[in-house]
Amino acid sequence: MMIAAIVFCLVVVIVVTIYRHQCLLQDRAQLMRDAMRHHDFSFHLPTKGLLFGERALQEALNDMGQDIQKLVAHNEVESWQRLTRVLTHEIMNATTPILSISQAFLANPHIKGTPYEEGIKAIHDTCMGLGTFADSYRKLTQLQEPVLKHINVNTLCTGVSTLYPNLHWELEIPADLSIHADENLLRQVFINMVKNAIEANAKTIGIRHIAPTKAMKQGETAFGKLQISNDGHIIPDDVAREIFIPFFTTKQFGSGIGLSLSRQILMMQKLALSLREHPISGYNVTFEIESF
């Protein structure tokens, strides 16, 4: 009887353990399903407590989510590029003849001082504004081709920090860390991000390097990622989903092309720019740059 009781208890423990483990896997599946449904591919579920096969599968799913997120960002950039080319072409085709005709009327002495002058001037100024708007679009479609070379990241970040001596800088970058990129374009990305941080009342900028945590595939560079953080205003969730859309801005006089332009510049260099869902401790906002 004693042996039977022990065996029964062991069976119960095993069944309960297996049941709880299966419930854990079921919860994970539901979390990933919800993430996919809401187009949130930044999920990274822990592998602690999983068997070696399940651990490998979860790691693969985590990596796949990150790869999907990068591909989505890449496709978004390409879509905006195509859209901006079409819009620029159509806007310029529509406004150029109107601008030319309105200028000719404004220069006509028979128009000056008449009730028509004010209306024609309004048409002229509107066309000028649309032209300026189209020029902003061109910035997203006529970028110079990057000249790639190995750049010392520490030297680049230190150089940018000297441009803003009123900020407190916390740099955690290995002295020998290099990245294959265009130095001038990469510097412009850093400057854009620092300007955004200043406009959000940031007083501290932190840049640190995170070494790669997985084995690199053939042809992949072991760069890892850069985390650029600041202590400016927190970005609300509804705004965070829109910040990389061209011309989206919450600033009164903002152009809305800084972050979208930065993402496009990096994409041309096989680098991805994303907003980290959970900022680094001590900061309110963290962006990440990593190899695509």
Side-chain angles (χ1 to χ4, degrees):
M1 288 293 292
M2 181 65 71
I3 294 177
I6 293 174
V7 171
F8 177 77
C9 290
L10 287 175
V11 171
V12 171
V13 170
I14 292 173
V15 170
V16 171
T17 301
I18 293 175
Y19 176 76
R20 287 181 175 176
H21 191 71
Q22 293 304 308
C23 288
L24 172 65
L25 296 179
Q26 187 179 42
D27 291 342
R28 287 170 175 268
Q30 185 61 45
L31 285 172
M32 287 186 288
R33 189 177 294 111
D34 290 342
M36 294 293 184
R37 186 179 298 114
H38 294 94
H39 302 285
D40 179 11
F41 306 105
S42 60
F43 62 84
H44 191 282
L45 298 180
T47 58
K48 184 178 180 180
L50 300 180
L51 300 176
F52 66 92
E54 296 167 343
R55 185 182 303 114
L57 178 60
Q58 184 63 67
E59 289 174 349
L61 290 171
N62 288 341
D63 292 341
M64 183 179 68
Q66 295 176 6
D67 292 340
I68 291 174
Q69 187 178 24
K70 294 176 184 177
L71 287 173
V72 169
H74 185 270
N75 289 335
E76 283 180 352
V77 168
E78 290 186 339
S79 297
W80 281 114
Q81 285 178 326
R82 290 192 292 269
L83 177 61
T84 52
R85 290 192 188 101
V86 173
L87 289 176
T88 300
H89 180 74
E90 294 301 324
I91 290 173
M92 296 307 295
N93 280 350
T95 59
T96 299
I98 298 174
L99 186 63
S100 177
I101 293 171
S102 61
Q103 284 177 331
F105 273 115
L106 289 174
N108 190 323
H110 297 292
I111 296 295
K112 290 183 178 297
T114 68
Y116 298 106
E117 183 178 18
E118 185 176 347
I120 295 173
K121 189 175 187 306
I123 294 173
H124 176 272
D125 292 345
T126 300
C127 288
M128 288 289 290
L130 286 172
T132 302
F133 186 68
D135 285 338
S136 297
Y137 267 99
R138 282 201 184 98
K139 292 180 181 179
L140 296 174
T141 59
Q142 296 181 350
L143 293 173
Q144 67 184 69
E145 285 296 321
V147 179
L148 304 181
K149 63 180 181 179
H150 288 288
I151 304 167
N152 185 284
V153 180
N154 194 306
T155 301
L156 179 65
C157 292
T158 302
V160 172
S161 68
T162 59
L163 299 175
Y164 302 92
N166 293 330
L167 292 174
H168 175 65
W169 290 82
E170 297 178 350
L171 303 180
E172 300 178 30
I173 307 169
D176 59 347
L177 179 67
S178 66
I179 186 173
H180 197 57
D182 184 300
E183 183 173 5
N184 292 328
L185 291 176
L186 190 59
R187 182 184 295 106
Q188 186 59 50
V189 169
F190 277 97
I191 290 175
N192 284 345
M193 298 180 72
V194 172
K195 286 182 177 179
N196 282 346
I198 292 174
E199 290 173 354
N201 290 330
K203 299 296 185 292
T204 300
I205 302 287
I207 305 178
R208 71 171 182 171
H209 174 249
I210 304 296
T213 57
K214 62 177 182 177
M216 294 292 105
K217 301 175 185 177
Q218 186 175 4
E220 238 182 352
T221 56
F223 173 71
K225 66 177 66 173
L226 278 179
Q227 294 180 330
I228 302 116
S229 306
N230 69 75
D231 61 349
H233 298 317
I234 296 174
I235 300 178
D237 291 339
D238 58 331
V239 174
R241 289 190 290 268
E242 313 290 342
I243 59 174
F244 290 110
I245 295 178
F247 303 101
F248 173 82
T249 181
T250 59
K251 305 168 188 173
Q252 184 177 0
F253 301 105
S255 65
I257 65 172
L259 285 175
S260 57
L261 184 63
S262 296
R263 173 176 269 189
Q264 185 173 329
I265 288 173
L266 292 175
M267 199 73 72
M268 293 171 62
Q269 304 174 68
K270 304 299 182 184
L271 297 169
L273 174 64
S274 60
L275 175 66
R276 182 181 170 90
E277 183 178 1
H278 303 293
I280 303 300
S281 177
Y283 298 97
N284 293 329
V285 178
T286 296
F287 289 91
E288 292 184 334
I289 297 175
E290 57 186 317
S291 300
F292 185 74

